[in-house]
Amino acid sequence: MAAYYERRKGAVLSTTIDKYVYVSVHPYFNRKKTVCKYSKTEIVDDIASIKHPVFRVVLEKLWPSGGIEVTSNADIPSGTGLGSSSSFTVALLNSIYSYRGTFTSKGRLAREACSIEIKELKEPIGKQDQYAAAYGGLNVIEFNPDGSVNVQPLMLSKEIVSRLQENLLMFYTYDQRDARSILAEQKEETRKEDKFKILSKMVDLVYEARDSLLMGDLNSFGLCLHKGWQYKCQLSDKISNPTIQKYYERALEYGAIGGKLLGAGGGGFLLFYCEKENQNNLRKALFDLPELPFRFDWQGAKIIYVGDKYVEEGFFEIS
């Protein structure tokens, strides 16, 4: 978040996975209306009256004339710590730009998604999810005091990538939460020197984890996850809770080397690094939490379909 990187360069090590947000766009038969479909359906005469804030802002900027239907659905529900909110913003921008016939770079998608969510909608969030969703892949993402962002892909061998992917397991804790209150508190806490020092240790850990991966020392990477989780829990008492801590400690007891709760905290998915020979024991220990199998995604935001009839008529259907 800016409260940190405006004082000292921030960084995250992140990867994207094969769980997606899908957005489709096509003309609506009543050209005077706009339709937005998500968990609700809105049919409006005036885009300014759309209640969903991201739909409203993006359409006001990129398609103010109306006469379209935009539909969104996702593999993972919101509020689970996997970045679905920012993935939606990136996907919506990509879809509407493509519908207009405009090529948009991944960097521009990420920058505009950040601007919409952070500057215009005043969300108390960072920039990492938008850049991850736009670029895809396994990256060190750096946030500079001048507001610029560097995305540095990790060039790992196929063997290391395969081992890393096989040794990461994710479990759903059932809890969904609104990250805003946690992040708003963290934003204020960052101004305190003791919290700032903890965040600085977490940033330093990014490069330690990166180097562990580059050397193929995946057990050290797992320990970095563990240290990072211990640091993160010191930032706010809302990040973890007795239930989450119980599962985390049980996972370590039954073979995990390290792990973390994904997202801001309070609920969502637990991720663990666990070598193959211990994974059955880990699954048995967490028998009451559903596992989410996943693979890495390397492409980020992409257009997967354009309907021919809409191209001929000057319209695009984008997913």
mmCIF file with all atom_site columns, all heavy atoms in Angstrom, residues 79-93:
data_model
loop_
_atom_site.group_PDB
_atom_site.id
_atom_site.type_symbol
_atom_site.label_atom_id
_atom_site.label_alt_id
_atom_site.label_comp_id
_atom_site.label_asym_id
_atom_site.label_entity_id
_atom_site.label_seq_id
_atom_site.pdbx_PDB_ins_code
_atom_site.Cartn_x
_atom_site.Cartn_y
_atom_site.Cartn_z
_atom_site.occupancy
_atom_site.B_iso_or_equiv
_atom_site.pdbx_formal_charge
_atom_site.auth_seq_id
_atom_site.auth_comp_id
_atom_site.auth_asym_id
_atom_site.auth_atom_id
_atom_site.pdbx_PDB_model_num
ATOM 1  N N   . GLY A 1 79 ? -14.202 -12.194 -1.584  1.00 0.00 ? 79 GLY A N   1
ATOM 2  C CA  . GLY A 1 79 ? -13.975 -12.197 -0.143  1.00 0.00 ? 79 GLY A CA  1
ATOM 3  C C   . GLY A 1 79 ? -13.211 -13.394 0.364   1.00 0.00 ? 79 GLY A C   1
ATOM 4  O O   . GLY A 1 79 ? -13.229 -13.682 1.561   1.00 0.00 ? 79 GLY A O   1
ATOM 5  N N   . THR A 1 80 ? -12.496 -14.102 -0.540  1.00 0.00 ? 80 THR A N   1
ATOM 6  C CA  . THR A 1 80 ? -11.766 -15.294 -0.118  1.00 0.00 ? 80 THR A CA  1
ATOM 7  C C   . THR A 1 80 ? -10.256 -15.119 -0.203  1.00 0.00 ? 80 THR A C   1
ATOM 8  O O   . THR A 1 80 ? -9.507  -16.070 0.003   1.00 0.00 ? 80 THR A O   1
ATOM 9  C CB  . THR A 1 80 ? -12.180 -16.513 -0.966  1.00 0.00 ? 80 THR A CB  1
ATOM 10 O OG1 . THR A 1 80 ? -12.024 -16.201 -2.347  1.00 0.00 ? 80 THR A OG1 1
ATOM 11 C CG2 . THR A 1 80 ? -13.627 -16.894 -0.699  1.00 0.00 ? 80 THR A CG2 1
ATOM 12 N N   . GLY A 1 81 ? -9.786  -13.930 -0.531  1.00 0.00 ? 81 GLY A N   1
ATOM 13 C CA  . GLY A 1 81 ? -8.357  -13.658 -0.492  1.00 0.00 ? 81 GLY A CA  1
ATOM 14 C C   . GLY A 1 81 ? -7.587  -14.014 -1.737  1.00 0.00 ? 81 GLY A C   1
ATOM 15 O O   . GLY A 1 81 ? -6.359  -13.950 -1.749  1.00 0.00 ? 81 GLY A O   1
ATOM 16 N N   . LEU A 1 82 ? -8.278  -14.362 -2.826  1.00 0.00 ? 82 LEU A N   1
ATOM 17 C CA  . LEU A 1 82 ? -7.585  -14.742 -4.053  1.00 0.00 ? 82 LEU A CA  1
ATOM 18 C C   . LEU A 1 82 ? -7.600  -13.641 -5.115  1.00 0.00 ? 82 LEU A C   1
ATOM 19 O O   . LEU A 1 82 ? -7.301  -13.897 -6.282  1.00 0.00 ? 82 LEU A O   1
ATOM 20 C CB  . LEU A 1 82 ? -8.197  -16.025 -4.635  1.00 0.00 ? 82 LEU A CB  1
ATOM 21 C CG  . LEU A 1 82 ? -8.019  -17.290 -3.792  1.00 0.00 ? 82 LEU A CG  1
ATOM 22 C CD1 . LEU A 1 82 ? -8.511  -18.510 -4.555  1.00 0.00 ? 82 LEU A CD1 1
ATOM 23 C CD2 . LEU A 1 82 ? -6.571  -17.487 -3.385  1.00 0.00 ? 82 LEU A CD2 1
ATOM 24 N N   . GLY A 1 83 ? -7.929  -12.435 -4.729  1.00 0.00 ? 83 GLY A N   1
ATOM 25 C CA  . GLY A 1 83 ? -7.802  -11.300 -5.652  1.00 0.00 ? 83 GLY A CA  1
ATOM 26 C C   . GLY A 1 83 ? -8.902  -11.192 -6.684  1.00 0.00 ? 83 GLY A C   1
ATOM 27 O O   . GLY A 1 83 ? -8.706  -10.575 -7.732  1.00 0.00 ? 83 GLY A O   1
ATOM 28 N N   . SER A 1 84 ? -10.075 -11.757 -6.411  1.00 0.00 ? 84 SER A N   1
ATOM 29 C CA  . SER A 1 84 ? -11.131 -11.759 -7.425  1.00 0.00 ? 84 SER A CA  1
ATOM 30 C C   . SER A 1 84 ? -11.658 -10.356 -7.738  1.00 0.00 ? 84 SER A C   1
ATOM 31 O O   . SER A 1 84 ? -12.040 -10.080 -8.877  1.00 0.00 ? 84 SER A O   1
ATOM 32 C CB  . SER A 1 84 ? -12.281 -12.671 -7.003  1.00 0.00 ? 84 SER A CB  1
ATOM 33 O OG  . SER A 1 84 ? -12.836 -12.270 -5.770  1.00 0.00 ? 84 SER A OG  1
ATOM 34 N N   . SER A 1 85 ? -11.661 -9.470  -6.747  1.00 0.00 ? 85 SER A N   1
ATOM 35 C CA  . SER A 1 85 ? -12.190 -8.119  -6.989  1.00 0.00 ? 85 SER A CA  1
ATOM 36 C C   . SER A 1 85 ? -11.344 -7.370  -8.012  1.00 0.00 ? 85 SER A C   1
ATOM 37 O O   . SER A 1 85 ? -11.870 -6.798  -8.979  1.00 0.00 ? 85 SER A O   1
ATOM 38 C CB  . SER A 1 85 ? -12.247 -7.333  -5.681  1.00 0.00 ? 85 SER A CB  1
ATOM 39 O OG  . SER A 1 85 ? -13.139 -7.933  -4.779  1.00 0.00 ? 85 SER A OG  1
ATOM 40 N N   . SER A 1 86 ? -10.042 -7.378  -7.819  1.00 0.00 ? 86 SER A N   1
ATOM 41 C CA  . SER A 1 86 ? -9.171  -6.687  -8.770  1.00 0.00 ? 86 SER A CA  1
ATOM 42 C C   . SER A 1 86 ? -9.090  -7.434  -10.093 1.00 0.00 ? 86 SER A C   1
ATOM 43 O O   . SER A 1 86 ? -8.941  -6.812  -11.157 1.00 0.00 ? 86 SER A O   1
ATOM 44 C CB  . SER A 1 86 ? -7.771  -6.508  -8.181  1.00 0.00 ? 86 SER A CB  1
ATOM 45 O OG  . SER A 1 86 ? -7.813  -5.628  -7.072  1.00 0.00 ? 86 SER A OG  1
ATOM 46 N N   . SER A 1 87 ? -9.195  -8.756  -10.061 1.00 0.00 ? 87 SER A N   1
ATOM 47 C CA  . SER A 1 87 ? -9.238  -9.530  -11.307 1.00 0.00 ? 87 SER A CA  1
ATOM 48 C C   . SER A 1 87 ? -10.459 -9.124  -12.121 1.00 0.00 ? 87 SER A C   1
ATOM 49 O O   . SER A 1 87 ? -10.384 -9.023  -13.360 1.00 0.00 ? 87 SER A O   1
ATOM 50 C CB  . SER A 1 87 ? -9.287  -11.026 -11.003 1.00 0.00 ? 87 SER A CB  1
ATOM 51 O OG  . SER A 1 87 ? -8.099  -11.461 -10.389 1.00 0.00 ? 87 SER A OG  1
ATOM 52 N N   . PHE A 1 88 ? -11.578 -8.879  -11.445 1.00 0.00 ? 88 PHE A N   1
ATOM 53 C CA  . PHE A 1 88 ? -12.780 -8.430  -12.138 1.00 0.00 ? 88 PHE A CA  1
ATOM 54 C C   . PHE A 1 88 ? -12.556 -7.070  -12.799 1.00 0.00 ? 88 PHE A C   1
ATOM 55 O O   . PHE A 1 88 ? -12.929 -6.862  -13.964 1.00 0.00 ? 88 PHE A O   1
ATOM 56 C CB  . PHE A 1 88 ? -13.964 -8.347  -11.174 1.00 0.00 ? 88 PHE A CB  1
ATOM 57 C CG  . PHE A 1 88 ? -15.123 -7.566  -11.722 1.00 0.00 ? 88 PHE A CG  1
ATOM 58 C CD1 . PHE A 1 88 ? -15.900 -8.080  -12.747 1.00 0.00 ? 88 PHE A CD1 1
ATOM 59 C CD2 . PHE A 1 88 ? -15.423 -6.301  -11.232 1.00 0.00 ? 88 PHE A CD2 1
ATOM 60 C CE1 . PHE A 1 88 ? -16.961 -7.352  -13.278 1.00 0.00 ? 88 PHE A CE1 1
ATOM 61 C CE2 . PHE A 1 88 ? -16.470 -5.566  -11.752 1.00 0.00 ? 88 PHE A CE2 1
ATOM 62 C CZ  . PHE A 1 88 ? -17.246 -6.093  -12.773 1.00 0.00 ? 88 PHE A CZ  1
ATOM 63 N N   . THR A 1 89 ? -11.940 -6.137  -12.083 1.00 0.00 ? 89 THR A N   1
ATOM 64 C CA  . THR A 1 89 ? -11.698 -4.811  -12.650 1.00 0.00 ? 89 THR A CA  1
ATOM 65 C C   . THR A 1 89 ? -10.817 -4.904  -13.886 1.00 0.00 ? 89 THR A C   1
ATOM 66 O O   . THR A 1 89 ? -11.093 -4.276  -14.921 1.00 0.00 ? 89 THR A O   1
ATOM 67 C CB  . THR A 1 89 ? -11.041 -3.883  -11.608 1.00 0.00 ? 89 THR A CB  1
ATOM 68 O OG1 . THR A 1 89 ? -11.844 -3.864  -10.424 1.00 0.00 ? 89 THR A OG1 1
ATOM 69 C CG2 . THR A 1 89 ? -10.908 -2.469  -12.141 1.00 0.00 ? 89 THR A CG2 1
ATOM 70 N N   . VAL A 1 90 ? -9.750  -5.700  -13.804 1.00 0.00 ? 90 VAL A N   1
ATOM 71 C CA  . VAL A 1 90 ? -8.849  -5.883  -14.953 1.00 0.00 ? 90 VAL A CA  1
ATOM 72 C C   . VAL A 1 90 ? -9.597  -6.525  -16.114 1.00 0.00 ? 90 VAL A C   1
ATOM 73 O O   . VAL A 1 90 ? -9.482  -6.085  -17.273 1.00 0.00 ? 90 VAL A O   1
ATOM 74 C CB  . VAL A 1 90 ? -7.627  -6.735  -14.543 1.00 0.00 ? 90 VAL A CB  1
ATOM 75 C CG1 . VAL A 1 90 ? -6.822  -7.166  -15.776 1.00 0.00 ? 90 VAL A CG1 1
ATOM 76 C CG2 . VAL A 1 90 ? -6.730  -5.965  -13.591 1.00 0.00 ? 90 VAL A CG2 1
ATOM 77 N N   . ALA A 1 91 ? -10.388 -7.567  -15.835 1.00 0.00 ? 91 ALA A N   1
ATOM 78 C CA  . ALA A 1 91 ? -11.121 -8.257  -16.891 1.00 0.00 ? 91 ALA A CA  1
ATOM 79 C C   . ALA A 1 91 ? -12.157 -7.350  -17.551 1.00 0.00 ? 91 ALA A C   1
ATOM 80 O O   . ALA A 1 91 ? -12.345 -7.383  -18.774 1.00 0.00 ? 91 ALA A O   1
ATOM 81 C CB  . ALA A 1 91 ? -11.802 -9.503  -16.320 1.00 0.00 ? 91 ALA A CB  1
ATOM 82 N N   . LEU A 1 92 ? -12.841 -6.540  -16.745 1.00 0.00 ? 92 LEU A N   1
ATOM 83 C CA  . LEU A 1 92 ? -13.843 -5.627  -17.299 1.00 0.00 ? 92 LEU A CA  1
ATOM 84 C C   . LEU A 1 92 ? -13.191 -4.597  -18.210 1.00 0.00 ? 92 LEU A C   1
ATOM 85 O O   . LEU A 1 92 ? -13.677 -4.326  -19.319 1.00 0.00 ? 92 LEU A O   1
ATOM 86 C CB  . LEU A 1 92 ? -14.615 -4.945  -16.166 1.00 0.00 ? 92 LEU A CB  1
ATOM 87 C CG  . LEU A 1 92 ? -15.727 -3.986  -16.590 1.00 0.00 ? 92 LEU A CG  1
ATOM 88 C CD1 . LEU A 1 92 ? -16.796 -4.702  -17.400 1.00 0.00 ? 92 LEU A CD1 1
ATOM 89 C CD2 . LEU A 1 92 ? -16.348 -3.321  -15.360 1.00 0.00 ? 92 LEU A CD2 1
ATOM 90 N N   . LEU A 1 93 ? -12.086 -4.010  -17.764 1.00 0.00 ? 93 LEU A N   1
ATOM 91 C CA  . LEU A 1 93 ? -11.362 -3.052  -18.608 1.00 0.00 ? 93 LEU A CA  1
ATOM 92 C C   . LEU A 1 93 ? -10.928 -3.707  -19.918 1.00 0.00 ? 93 LEU A C   1
ATOM 93 O O   . LEU A 1 93 ? -11.115 -3.145  -21.007 1.00 0.00 ? 93 LEU A O   1
ATOM 94 C CB  . LEU A 1 93 ? -10.142 -2.515  -17.864 1.00 0.00 ? 93 LEU A CB  1
ATOM 95 C CG  . LEU A 1 93 ? -10.392 -1.484  -16.770 1.00 0.00 ? 93 LEU A CG  1
ATOM 96 C CD1 . LEU A 1 93 ? -9.139  -1.303  -15.918 1.00 0.00 ? 93 LEU A CD1 1
ATOM 97 C CD2 . LEU A 1 93 ? -10.804 -0.133  -17.377 1.00 0.00 ? 93 LEU A CD2 1
#
